[in-house]
Amino acid sequence: MFFHTELIFDETPPVIDAILKRPDALLVINLSGGKDSYAMLRYMVRLHAQRGYQAQIVAVHANLGLAEWEGTEAIIHAQCSDVGVPLTVVRRSRGGLVKRFWQRWQTLRAEGRDVPPFSDSKNRFCTSDTKVQPIDKFIRSLPCRLVVNCMGLRAEESPKRAKKGRCAVRSSITTKALKKLLPEEAWEQWEGGRLAIDWLPIHHFPLERVWQEAGSSKKDLERRQRLFHKGKITEAFLGWRNHYAYVLGNKRLSCALCVFAGAKELARGASYHPLLYANYRKLEEISGYQFKQDLSLKSIPLFTPTISAQTLACLLLELRVG
Ligand code: SF4
């Protein structure tokens, strides 16, 4: 069965529950194409039906352009279509992430500043400029005044994420009087201006529960990875509704080359996305800065994939409903 139908225990904060019961509210589901956001999408659709929520559901994907794994947007479209949730794709108006890094380098050089063009943990402008801001703009463009904005971050992913509260007022798009309040206070004082609350509905999910919500399991994934590495590509992807990068061996789906990825995932991302790799290598050479503070892309061992990322994306879309 595609959806498991077991009842969801009460895991929803009362403030979110109260807002989602209203027909004038909007539930925004942020999708990256990764397992966490896909699990969240399916979980939220089930929760919405079981609780009889009246809020309208929409999904949003911030497309980062060349930096993304090939075919990610099409995969997300298929995932949303499975569950009948409309998807809006947003983009940074001045170009994707690769362009953002190059623009930053040009600006820094013009100002005579000697700092890296790439993001790092202290300066994570890649996410704020190419995801947060376009999604804020999208939410602002909608007529709804009450918004629950769901993201698939999980505590297990990192100590920093573990410390994150599950709910917070999204101050960038909330009316001034409510910006600095706790969600419960903001909801109590809400009088009709925009109130947007960020919610992490799967923050407490362990990995196995994520795979279960995403229609799979660790065992199923490992079986598919073995099939792929034996060259049994069709068998590996038959009925697989998640992103193909997991079957290749990725633990996370991020940009094809992410400033936080480990060496193995960088090697895979670079080998499947030679144009992206060439772009970042050029920027490393010109700027004199490495892609990661402790690692240059030059040191990544590239390989020649037996099948292109584009073909993998097409195959996945053909075989996902097995
Ligand atoms: S996936 Fe990595 S490089 Fe891409 S926007 Fe997120 S943090 Fe930045």
Side-chain angles (χ1 to χ4, degrees):
M1 183 184 287
F2 172 44
F3 271 114
H4 56 99
T5 51
E6 75 196 47
L7 281 171
I8 296 169
F9 294 113
D10 194 0
E11 299 169 311
T12 311
V15 60
I16 299 293
D17 198 58
I19 294 175
L20 293 181
K21 281 180 180 154
R22 295 180 56 122
D24 55 348
L26 182 71
L27 173 62
V28 181
I29 302 181
N30 288 237
L31 298 176
S32 65
K35 62 185 185 318
D36 297 319
S37 64
Y38 183 43
M40 175 180 66
L41 171 70
R42 292 171 46 134
Y43 173 76
M44 287 310 302
V45 168
R46 208 152 52 92
L47 185 74
H48 193 274
Q50 285 182 11
R51 294 277 171 82
Y53 286 148
Q54 299 296 304
Q56 185 195 342
I57 312 185
V58 295
V60 64
H61 169 59
N63 186 315
L64 275 55
L66 187 63
E68 295 208 342
W69 276 86
E70 185 73 46
T72 296
E73 184 181 315
I75 293 168
I76 298 174
H77 268 291
Q79 292 175 338
C80 286
S81 155
D82 288 343
V83 291
V85 170
L87 171 70
T88 298
V89 177
V90 297
R91 290 176 177 79
R92 176 177 172 265
S93 56
R94 293 181 61 215
L97 182 56
V98 176
K99 196 161 178 193
R100 177 67 186 93
F101 285 150
W102 279 98
Q103 283 166 345
R104 178 174 157 88
W105 170 244
Q106 277 154 4
T107 310
L108 292 169
R109 204 173 44 170
E111 291 171 356
R113 291 167 62 203
D114 189 15
V115 280
F118 302 109
S119 277
D120 56 45
S121 54
K122 287 196 190 115
N123 195 8
R124 200 169 164 169
F125 63 91
C126 52
T127 311
S128 57
D129 290 6
T130 60
K131 292 185 181 179
V132 179
Q133 287 172 18
I135 288 172
D136 276 355
K137 193 172 165 193
F138 162 67
I139 296 175
R140 268 200 221 101
S141 74
L142 300 170
C144 289
R145 304 279 96 188
L146 278 174
V147 180
V148 173
N149 183 56
C150 294
M151 294 173 287
L153 307 189
R154 292 188 305 116
E156 264 188 8
E157 291 178 288
S158 70
K160 197 173 169 195
R161 290 193 171 183
K163 282 189 204 138
K164 262 187 158 326
R166 288 185 64 197
C167 269
V169 169
R170 191 170 176 99
S171 56
S172 51
I173 49 170
T174 290
T175 193
K176 201 173 170 190
L178 308 176
K179 269 183 198 301
K180 293 191 175 154
L181 301 180
L182 292 171
E184 297 76 14
E185 296 167 340
W187 173 231
E188 242 177 66
Q189 293 179 31
W190 179 70
E191 286 177 339
R194 188 187 299 109
L195 170 59
I197 298 184
D198 282 335
W199 179 33
L200 312 180
I202 66 161
H203 187 251
H204 56 303
F205 279 19
L207 183 61
E208 192 55 46
R209 183 158 179 208
V210 170
W211 281 121
Q212 184 194 6
E213 290 287 351
S216 180
S217 65
K218 268 162 77 177
K219 215 169 151 190
D220 176 41
L221 173 61
E222 284 161 11
R223 180 183 64 82
R224 291 174 185 278
Q225 288 172 337
R226 283 195 299 274
L227 286 167
F228 181 81
H229 290 296
K230 281 185 196 159
K232 298 185 174 182
I233 313 279
T234 303
E235 291 92 329
F237 287 111
L238 195 65
W240 180 248
R241 292 175 190 252
N242 286 277
H243 202 285
Y244 61 85
Y246 295 111
V247 176
L248 304 187
N250 265 35
K251 289 200 165 51
R252 291 181 61 231
L253 182 89
S254 51
C255 290
L257 293 174
C258 171
V259 289
F260 301 116
K264 271 191 185 166
E265 300 210 339
L266 287 175
R268 199 174 291 118
S271 302
Y272 278 95
H273 297 84
L275 184 59
L276 175 64
Y277 171 78
N279 244 289
Y280 286 164
R281 269 295 297 133
K282 191 83 193 161
L283 187 51
E284 277 189 333
E285 273 170 29
I286 287 178
S287 68
Y289 282 99
Q290 301 186 148
F291 184 62
K292 289 176 61 149
Q293 276 169 358
D294 59 349
L295 185 142
S296 163
L297 291 176
K298 190 172 55 179
S299 64
I300 293 296
L302 299 179
F303 57 90
T304 308
T306 50
I307 182 164
S308 72
Q310 197 178 21
T311 308
L312 284 171
C314 292
L315 258 177
L316 177 98
L317 292 169
E318 283 290 319
L319 297 170
R320 65 189 298 281
V321 187

